[in-house]
């Protein structure tokens, strides 16, 4: 990682930078994790159907697909701290609109304004790369990713008790808005600005075209289950997205100041880890509810599962998330010993082993939970390692943009994985019912294990040695300025 200015950055200032960014990620994770459990309450509050209520989460994902690349590039051009502040203010406005929404339209507008939640991490990674030493930056990335994971777990687990304590949904939403407003105010304190600036200008037309393509894709995937995967609207939406992405790529190649450096993205080393990010999103986001529904299934009724109550599912379901937090937080320290390439090989090997374990051990709860813990550790190591490798392979003035592309690919992987797993669970059913058969779950785990094993094989075949930046920077003293990537 670049350490521009690190030699003149005091230790107290460094601690302030990382501490505040960690606070932002904890709240960001909490806000994102709290959204899913309150969807039924949103449905009842607004008097809408379940399908409409799902847009409470879907619209935020769509807004994130637009926000992440735009905020990443603007951060590279005008400073990450400035765009972190802008993002936090927009998010705070969104939470206020959600809390006091008089109707569904205002509610969804507020959720759309919360889209920049996903842009915070790329901006923060760009800031720590600029302000901290190599080793300090690596530890900071792992800590930020781990804190985001922890915040998501806490949001998912605590929003229910918070709702019970406050008694109504609106006070709960107001409490979440207070957290967001507090973060926005805190961002005007001790955070220093990044010093590296990208040359050129913002590619607004490229950002708009990419936004249309991603919204088309994610919107089509979100509506696929209700439209039918082979229906004309679904196939037409996917075809339109392919055309838009092809035109966008041609446009980026032709522009000197493109939104995304497509040539760098297509380099063998870079493309490998972006592809791994897509795989990680597919198995992590796409499969996150599969184990939960399996544990809830009753052996007496469905012939599989453990028949766990909601509180028991929460207890066992939090294990992979805790292990993911531990893996991401310890990622940098472990990588110092083995290197990031070997760490990522281990991460996807653990993911593969975890999914194989779920297939083999699905009849006993404790072994099944152990297999889930392996998946969690693998996710955590990959979450901490992939952004670091991608950042160190990118140009110093493209840090936030490169991380933003990775985040979007991870989110896209989650959308595609979720759609694919939904098709499997909805197609492989027991008799004439709509209840998934055991074979459906086994198929999902087998697909998850297969794509993770493919990621391992790709790394073995194409990964080569540790990148020049990773080798030369391991153990670099604080304040040193390493050679940037080629």
């Amino acid at each position: 990682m670049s350490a521009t200015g690190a030699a003149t950055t005091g230790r107290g200032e460094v601690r302030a930078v990382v501490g505040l960014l960690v606070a932002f990620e904890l709240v960001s994770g909490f806000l994102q994790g709290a959204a899913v459990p309150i969807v039924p309450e949103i449905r009842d509050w607004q008097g809408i159907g379940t399908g409409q209520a799902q847009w409470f989460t879907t619209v935020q994902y769509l807004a994130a697909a637009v926000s992440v690349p735009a905020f990443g590039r603007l951060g590279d051009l005008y400073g990450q701290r400035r765009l972190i502040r802008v993002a936090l203010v927009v998010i705070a406005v969104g939470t206020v609109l959600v809390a006091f929404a008089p109707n569904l339209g205002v509610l969804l507008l507020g959720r759309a304004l919360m889209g920049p939640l996903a842009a915070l991490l790329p901006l923060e990674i760009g800031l720590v790369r600029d302000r901290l030493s190599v080793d300090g930056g690596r530890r900071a990335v792992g800590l930020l990713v781990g804190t985001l994971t922890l915040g998501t777990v806490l949001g998912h687990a605590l929003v229910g008790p918070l709702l019970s304590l406050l008694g109504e949904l609106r006070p709960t939403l107001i409490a979440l808005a207070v957290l967001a407003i507090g973060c926005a105010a805190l961002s005007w304190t001790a955070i220093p600005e990044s010093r590296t600036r990208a040359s050129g200008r913002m590619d607004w037309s490229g950002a708009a075209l990419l936004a249309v393509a991603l919204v088309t894709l994610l919107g089509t995937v979100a509506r696929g289950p209700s439209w039918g995967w082979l229906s004309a609207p679904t196939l037409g939406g996917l075809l339109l997205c392919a055309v838009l992405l092809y035109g966008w790529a041609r446009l980026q190649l032709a522009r000197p100041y493109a939104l995304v450096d497509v040539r760098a993205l297509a380099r063998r080393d870079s493309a490998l880890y972006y592809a791994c990010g897509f795989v990680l999103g597919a198995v992590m986001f796409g499969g996150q509810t599969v184990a939960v529904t399996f544990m809830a299934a009753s052996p007496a009724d469905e012939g599989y599962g453990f028949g766990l109550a909601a509180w028991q599912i929460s207890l066992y379901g939090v294990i992979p998330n805790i292990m993911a937090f531990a893996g991401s937080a310890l990622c940098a320290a472990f990588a110092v010993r083995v290197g990031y390439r070997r760490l990522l090989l281990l991460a996807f090997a653990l993911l593969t082993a975890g999914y194989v374990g779920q297939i083999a051990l699905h009849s006993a709860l404790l072994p099944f939970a152990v297999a889930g813990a392996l998946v969690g550790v693998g996710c955590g190591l990959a979450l901490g390692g992939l952004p670091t490798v991608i950042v160190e392979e990118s140009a110093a003035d493209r840090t936030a943009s490169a991380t933003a592309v990775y985040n979007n690919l991870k989110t896209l992987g989650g959308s595609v994985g979720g759609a694919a797993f939904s098709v499997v669970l909805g197609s492989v059913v027991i008799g004439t019912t709509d209840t998934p058969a055991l074979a459906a779950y086994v198929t999902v785990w087998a697909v998850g294990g297969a794509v993770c094993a493919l990621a391992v094989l790709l790394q073995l075949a194409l990964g080569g040695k540790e990148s020049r930046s990773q080798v030369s920077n391991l153990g670099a003293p604080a304040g040193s300025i390493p050679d940037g990537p080629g």
Side-chain angles (χ1 to χ4, degrees):
M1 290 186 178
S2 171
T4 305
T8 59
T9 303
R11 290 180 180 273
E13 186 179 15
V14 168
R15 285 195 296 269
V17 172
V18 177
L20 290 177
L21 298 184
V22 164
F24 297 159
E25 281 308 306
L26 185 64
V27 172
S28 172
F30 195 96
L31 292 175
Q32 294 179 69
V36 175
I38 62 174
V39 167
E41 299 290 335
I42 294 292
R43 177 194 60 200
D44 297 340
W45 175 39
Q46 293 291 320
I48 55 179
T50 301
Q52 287 178 299
Q54 291 300 320
W55 282 101
F56 180 75
T57 54
T58 301
V59 74
Q60 195 261 326
Y61 296 145
L62 295 177
V66 178
S67 304
V68 170
F71 273 79
R73 179 59 176 159
L74 288 169
D76 287 335
L77 287 169
Y78 302 112
Q80 276 86 22
R81 182 184 68 178
R82 179 177 298 176
L83 268 295
I84 287 172
R85 289 173 171 174
V86 171
L88 287 171
V89 169
V90 172
I91 292 164
V93 172
T95 59
V96 171
L97 287 179
V98 169
F100 295 99
N103 53 55
L104 181 61
V106 175
L107 178 72
L108 295 182
L109 174 61
R111 286 293 295 173
L113 290 176
M114 293 174 68
L117 280 168
L120 288 174
L121 185 61
L123 292 168
E124 291 162 353
I125 290 175
L127 183 57
V128 301
R129 183 190 190 189
D130 185 83
R131 300 298 306 199
L132 304 184
S133 68
V134 174
D135 288 344
R138 288 174 172 178
R139 287 192 295 271
V141 170
L143 185 59
L144 289 170
V145 173
T147 303
L148 175 61
T149 305
L150 177 62
T152 304
V153 174
L154 292 175
H156 195 281
L158 297 181
V159 71
L162 179 64
L163 181 62
S164 299
L165 178 65
L166 297 177
E168 294 182 7
L169 179 61
R170 192 182 293 276
T172 303
L173 296 176
I174 292 174
L176 297 179
V178 169
L179 284 176
I181 293 169
C183 278
L186 195 61
S187 67
W188 259 266
T189 56
I191 304 174
E193 181 60 279
S194 56
R195 298 178 179 179
T196 302
R197 293 288 186 276
S199 59
R201 58 184 182 273
M202 179 63 183
D203 179 14
W204 288 110
S205 59
L209 184 57
L210 178 62
V212 172
L214 290 175
V215 168
T216 300
L217 177 58
L218 295 179
T220 301
V221 170
R223 302 300 297 168
S226 59
W227 287 345
W229 293 106
L230 298 179
S231 67
T234 301
L235 295 178
L238 294 176
L239 177 61
L240 176 60
C241 175
V243 172
L244 290 171
L245 286 175
Y246 175 77
W248 172 81
R250 293 291 300 270
L251 183 68
Q252 296 299 286
L253 288 171
R255 289 193 166 170
Y257 303 120
L259 179 72
V260 175
D261 187 349
V262 175
R263 289 186 178 86
L265 181 65
R267 287 203 315 261
R268 188 180 75 168
D269 289 344
S270 300
L272 168 64
Y273 293 111
Y274 282 118
C276 287
F278 181 88
V279 169
L280 176 63
V283 298
M284 184 176 67
F285 297 135
Q288 62 185 350
T289 61
V290 175
V292 172
T293 57
F294 181 84
M295 287 189 290
S298 170
D301 297 330
E302 288 87 4
Y304 59 82
F306 306 111
L308 300 186
W311 70 269
Q312 293 172 310
I313 292 174
S314 297
L315 177 64
Y316 283 98
V318 80
I319 292 175
N321 293 296
I322 292 175
M323 299 306 293
F325 167 69
S328 56
L330 297 174
C331 174
F334 189 43
V336 167
R337 299 179 181 274
V338 303
Y340 276 93
R341 177 175 174 268
R342 290 189 182 92
L343 179 139
L344 289 172
L345 279 172
L346 175 63
F348 283 93
L350 287 173
L351 282 165
T352 304
Y355 282 112
V356 171
Q358 288 181 326
I359 295 172
L361 305 171
H362 65 264
S363 59
L365 179 57
L366 185 57
F368 183 81
V370 172
L374 288 179
V375 172
V377 175
C379 283
L381 292 175
L383 283 169
L386 282 172
T388 301
V389 172
I390 287 170
V391 162
E392 293 185 358
E393 292 290 345
S394 68
D397 63 352
R398 284 277 182 171
T399 300
S401 300
T403 314
V405 172
Y406 156 73
N407 265 20
N408 259 10
L409 284 171
K410 187 175 64 177
T411 303
L412 178 60
S415 298
V416 173
F421 294 160
S422 295
V423 169
V424 173
L425 294 178
S427 303
V428 184
V429 296
I430 299 174
T432 58
T433 71
D434 58 359
T435 302
L438 175 60
Y441 289 97
V442 172
T443 301
V444 168
W445 295 327
V447 170
V451 295
C452 291
L454 178 61
V456 171
L457 294 176
L458 286 174
Q459 290 180 68
L460 289 172
L462 304 176
K465 299 179 180 180
E466 293 288 331
S467 71
R468 178 167 58 84
S469 61
Q470 293 172 46
V471 171
S472 62
N473 294 340
L474 283 175
S480 63
I481 302 178
D483 294 333

